[in-house]
Amino acid sequence: MRRKIERLTIKGFKSIREMSNFPLGDVNIVVGANGAGKSNFVQMFCMVRAMQKRYLQNFIAEHGGTAAFLHNGIKATKAIEAEFNFGKTVYGFKLTPTADEAFAVTELKQGDTIDDAIAGWMVYHFHDTSDSAPMRQSEIVEDCAYLREDAANIAPFLKALREDGPEGVKSYREIVDAVRLVMPFFDDFTLTPIKFGPAQKVKLTWKQKGTDYPFQPYHLSDGAIRFICLATALLQPKPPSTIIIDEPELGLHPQAISILADLIKAAASRTQVIVATQSPLLVDQFSVGDIIVAKRKDGATAFERLNENDYSAWLEDFTLGELWTRNVIEGGPTHE
């Protein structure tokens, strides 16, 4: 069953002093200046995923310890609180720092457990496209149940889609078609398993139109492989209940950003999508009501969902991205 977050409350988390009962829709495009708090908003979802996967304390330690997560430190903020309202049910929690640099977790609502509430969320982060990035490496063919956060199993996941009956094949063909729009020379993936001892592994091999030469993952540019991962995440046949992506536009050609926007809109008809971006071109592709502005106010991050009526006159002469660039939409640097 599809479960959309309808309203969200966050208190005492990093730069977010208080975000109360904030409405979320099917499409949520979060914009703001560097340091405004977009990444902190995304990291809240990462932290809750860590709670659900039972490695919260390791996550906290890896990201600076408890003081780094409390708004203005442990002296100013005694606990982090959050509440996710799904309409008929609500899940909430409180994180209180302990003497041993950990957080004690108290669940505040009885409507849902954390497993019920967010089992279907996924925070995708495809920034690492280096030569050693997991998405460029071989992975066992059995690792195909879902697309991992960093697309480490992109090859076995695509192979499974191609072999998974009409629904999977349809999604696979849509992914290939989307990739061809960005890479016109691209023909198809090959994804041939290779035996590694007792295991069979597969990597993101592909072929180009007009040749039978077997191209390897290292032949793909950073932008090309990142777009493949984004297209797969957004076109998968059974998407997560909420998809969160931080700065998906990195390394993409302007035409690819426009196509990415179409994929986000298509995905939002089947699931909830939250995207943090710095791209005016990506913002241009959405309506005013889809945009959430993160800005600094009184030493903390404030969030505002835009209202169409406030910008209708401006949009007769400017695009939405231009209004953001010109700081008519307050998404630029703020001097406090």
Side-chain angles (χ1 to χ4, degrees):
M1 181 180 68
R2 180 180 177 185
R3 305 192 62 194
K4 181 175 73 175
I5 305 166
E6 295 189 2
R7 294 189 174 271
L8 173 61
T9 294
I10 302 172
K11 297 179 181 180
F13 180 77
K14 295 201 166 221
S15 65
I16 305 171
R17 181 189 294 127
E18 184 168 354
M19 177 190 202
S20 294
N21 217 25
F22 191 86
L24 295 179
D26 292 330
V27 181
N28 307 273
I29 308 298
V30 186
V31 304
N34 291 328
K38 300 187 307 299
S39 293
N40 291 340
F41 181 69
V42 171
Q43 195 167 51
M44 165 56 75
F45 290 90
C46 294
M47 185 184 74
V48 179
R49 280 282 293 168
M51 290 171 58
Q52 193 261 337
K53 294 169 74 174
R54 311 297 190 262
Y55 67 86
L56 172 64
Q57 309 307 343
N58 287 342
F59 180 87
I60 298 300
E62 290 167 1
H63 291 84
T66 52
F69 284 81
L70 295 160
H71 178 69
N72 287 345
I74 197 167
K75 290 184 178 180
T77 302
K78 302 305 179 185
I80 296 167
E81 295 185 42
E83 183 177 284
F84 300 85
N85 187 314
F86 300 95
K88 293 183 178 180
T89 60
V90 177
Y91 173 72
F93 63 85
K94 181 177 182 179
L95 302 182
T96 307
T98 64
D100 57 350
E101 282 288 315
F103 277 120
V105 181
T106 305
E107 293 189 311
L108 302 178
K109 297 291 180 180
Q110 301 302 316
D112 272 342
T113 67
I114 190 169
D115 293 317
D116 294 330
I118 67 160
W121 288 1
M122 189 63 72
V123 184
Y124 289 117
H125 198 282
F126 304 139
H127 291 190
D128 182 10
T129 55
S130 65
D131 291 344
S132 60
M135 64 181 68
R136 293 188 187 268
Q137 311 305 313
S138 299
E139 186 54 270
I140 58 172
V141 294
E142 292 84 1
D143 187 5
C144 60
Y146 64 93
L147 182 66
R148 296 192 178 277
E149 290 92 335
D150 59 355
N153 66 334
I154 180 76
F157 185 79
L158 284 169
K159 181 178 183 298
L161 282 185
R162 191 171 64 185
E163 300 169 357
D164 192 30
E167 187 180 32
V169 171
K170 179 177 180 291
S171 289
Y172 177 84
R173 297 315 319 170
E174 289 174 347
I175 293 165
V176 169
D177 289 343
V179 173
R180 286 174 180 164
L181 290 175
V182 173
M183 303 163 54
F185 54 85
F186 178 86
D187 184 22
D188 203 346
F189 300 104
T190 52
L191 308 172
T192 304
I194 299 175
K195 197 166 182 62
F196 284 78
Q200 279 199 326
K201 293 187 175 184
V202 63
K203 59 184 175 180
L204 203 61
T205 51
W206 55 285
K207 57 185 178 179
Q208 184 172 299
K209 291 178 180 178
T211 177
D212 59 0
Y213 182 81
F215 286 87
Q216 302 296 307
Y218 59 78
H219 289 113
L220 293 166
S221 69
D222 290 351
I225 196 168
R226 189 176 288 120
F227 185 84
I228 289 169
C229 296
L230 289 165
T232 303
L234 294 167
L235 290 170
Q236 58 186 301
K238 297 176 182 177
S241 58
T242 298
I243 290 175
I244 304 102
I245 310 177
D246 190 15
E247 297 189 351
E249 72 275 6
L250 291 179
L252 298 187
H253 185 274
Q255 183 182 2
I257 292 177
S258 179
I259 295 167
L260 171 64
D262 291 338
L263 298 182
I264 291 171
K265 293 174 187 177
S269 68
R270 301 180 297 126
T271 190
Q272 185 174 43
V273 183
I274 300 171
V275 172
T277 182
Q278 291 274 34
S279 171
L281 181 56
L282 185 61
V283 171
D284 273 343
Q285 314 304 313
F286 294 91
S287 65
V288 173
D290 296 329
I291 308 301
I292 298 170
V293 178
K295 51 191 173 183
R296 298 284 295 190
K297 184 177 180 181
D298 299 328
T301 300
F303 294 90
E304 177 189 1
R305 182 176 286 281
L306 300 187
N307 187 309
E308 188 84 38
N309 294 332
D310 295 336
Y311 298 95
S312 56
W314 283 98
L315 290 170
E316 293 178 8
D317 299 309
F318 301 97
T319 69
L320 199 54
E322 287 172 336
L323 294 182
W324 177 35
T325 302
R326 293 166 182 261
N327 213 35
V328 176
I329 295 172
E330 297 181 34
T334 301
H335 301 283
E336 298 181 12

